[in-house]
Amino acid sequence: MADKNKLQRKTGIILALDVTDEASALEITAAVADLVDAVKIGYPLVLGTGLSIVSKLSKYAPVIADFKVADIPNTDHLICEHVFKAGCAAVIVQGFTGPDSLSECVKTATAFDGKVFVVSEMSHPGGSYFFTDEISKEIAGLSRKYGAFGIVAPATRPERVKELRAVIGDDLKIISPGVGAQGGSAADTIKAGADWVIVGRSIYNAENPRDEAMKVKVEIEKLI
Ligand code: XMP
């Protein structure tokens, strides 16, 4: 049986699970578990259910904690410790906090055999307001330098995924939110260089989440 806590690319899909109650979270995850490589959770679900949801979801797929950790190194350390003690496979952190904060997150994650993804540029329209092209590239470079596992780059701007891929080379992974509800295309994002697309509302709000996840899977498979 596959290691349910190890992030491995099979379908290229990460489910963003922003429902806020445990029953829906588990029902949707069970329905799509074999179609996704990981489940990304964040404040909506964790504030709604508590961190104990991690161990329940981990039975189906590796869990990525999207807490966009952005604090001084000591606080980052305390947050990451909770994330990995709860059983998460990876955490998403901000890179604008600088090298010391970033390297502390990586150090803490590594102690738990966990991974760190760094936000390089956000997917919503305002996401490029402060994260200019140059700053995003600098954050991507910093992520590589300090041993992050990957970066988060916007599926809503595939051209930026391509540019950021050029900065990090093949050493780091790219996970890309913005497919579906925000208008991004899974195929275009993978073609631009992403390893995984992150898909939330278009799957978890669908009448049949499994059908929606299957559509994305097939769209990605056609690229091979
Ligand atoms: P939807 O419903 O739009 O969900 O498919 C997208 C998910 O991804 C998160 N998100 C981001 N996370 N950097 C991140 O680290 C980003 O640029 C970004 N854009 C969206 C969002 O919170 C949701 O869970």
Side-chain angles (χ1 to χ4, degrees):
M1 200 162 89
D3 183 349
K4 292 275 189 275
N5 205 29
K6 205 160 164 29
L7 203 48
Q8 283 176 324
R9 192 184 187 287
K10 285 179 233 147
T11 64
I13 305 169
I14 294 172
L15 171 68
L17 192 57
D18 293 324
V19 295
T20 54
D21 70 286
E22 182 173 319
S24 309
L26 294 177
E27 188 186 337
I28 293 164
T29 302
V32 304
D34 60 316
L35 305 177
V36 303
D37 294 335
V39 175
K40 183 183 82 65
I41 64 171
Y43 295 113
L45 183 58
V46 173
L47 294 176
T49 65
L51 203 49
S52 59
I53 193 73
V54 174
S55 60
K56 294 170 188 164
L57 293 173
S58 294
K59 293 186 178 122
Y60 297 98
V63 176
I64 301 173
D66 183 359
F67 289 159
K68 297 188 179 69
V69 182
D71 219 306
I72 59 168
N74 184 62
T75 309
D76 286 347
H77 169 76
L78 296 170
I79 295 169
C80 290
E81 235 183 16
H82 271 293
V83 162
F84 291 110
K85 277 184 182 165
C88 289
V91 66
I92 295 177
V93 310
Q94 291 286 9
F96 64 74
T97 45
D100 49 352
S101 291
L102 178 51
S103 61
E104 184 59 47
C105 291
V106 172
K107 193 173 129 198
T108 309
T110 305
F112 289 90
D113 199 20
K115 315 279 189 215
V116 169
F117 289 99
V118 184
V119 178
S120 62
E121 178 176 318
M122 295 195 69
S123 59
H124 61 305
S128 53
Y129 187 81
F130 286 112
F131 286 91
T132 60
D133 292 5
E134 283 319 302
I135 287 178
S136 298
K137 283 184 186 169
E138 214 172 312
I139 292 174
L142 214 61
S143 308
R144 183 183 193 180
K145 182 172 177 188
Y146 287 95
F149 183 68
I151 61 169
V152 189
T156 45
R157 294 180 215 100
E159 72 283 1
R160 297 291 301 142
V161 173
K162 199 171 176 183
E163 286 171 30
L164 291 165
R165 170 57 78 196
V167 173
I168 59 173
D170 292 331
D171 298 345
L172 270 66
K173 306 291 182 195
I174 297 181
I175 57 176
S176 281
V179 167
Q182 293 182 64
S185 135
D188 290 350
T189 308
I190 297 288
K191 274 193 274 182
D195 297 282
W196 283 281
V197 291
I198 298 173
V199 192
R201 284 165 288 178
S202 63
I203 292 179
Y204 69 72
N205 279 339
E207 208 163 300
N208 188 327
R210 187 172 176 83
D211 285 353
E212 285 307 311
M214 186 62 84
K215 278 186 209 159
V216 182
K217 179 175 180 275
V218 170
E219 185 182 336
I220 294 172
E221 272 169 358
K222 279 190 187 150
L223 298 173
I224 301 165

